[in-house]
Amino acid sequence: MNDQSKIAPDPRGQVIATVEIKKIGNSSGIILPKDVMARMQVSVGDKLYATLTPDGGFRLTPHDPDFEKAMEIARRGMKRYHNALAELAK
């Protein structure tokens, strides 16, 4: 394993990987090491979602953050209107 993909803990205790931006055709991209992909439980062809973090960085996640927000709202509604939904289900 070379220096570019070595995994090391950061000051907040989270595990990060150092990757290099590479030219891919007319675009740029990063190549994720196999161990990082295994930790994220993703494979070639999967989508990753980039979100901004408060400290000016970004976070890559295989989970759609908009979907998570919508599901949280739906869960609150299902909890609040449980009786009405149970009646409708009859």
Side-chain angles (χ1 to χ4, degrees):
M1 187 179 289
N2 62 27
D3 258 3
Q4 294 298 343
S5 63
K6 190 175 282 186
I7 295 180
D10 78 356
R12 294 177 303 264
Q14 300 165 338
V15 176
I16 62 170
T18 302
V19 295
E20 183 180 347
I21 300 173
K22 302 212 180 230
K23 182 83 169 151
I24 303 173
N26 289 332
S27 300
S28 300
I30 60 171
I31 297 174
L32 296 175
K34 205 182 331 182
D35 49 345
V36 171
M37 290 180 62
R39 184 180 293 267
M40 292 178 72
Q41 299 178 351
V42 296
S43 60
V44 175
D46 290 350
K47 286 185 181 180
L48 294 177
Y49 299 89
T51 56
L52 296 175
T53 60
D55 61 355
F58 73 97
R59 176 178 174 229
L60 284 178
T61 178
H63 307 291
D64 183 353
D66 291 335
F67 179 77
E68 294 297 326
K69 286 180 191 174
M71 285 305 298
E72 180 58 33
I73 292 168
R75 284 185 194 101
R76 284 196 309 246
M78 287 187 282
K79 186 175 180 180
R80 183 174 182 179
Y81 299 108
H82 173 73
N83 293 339
L85 291 171
E87 287 298 314
L88 289 171
K90 289 183 183 180

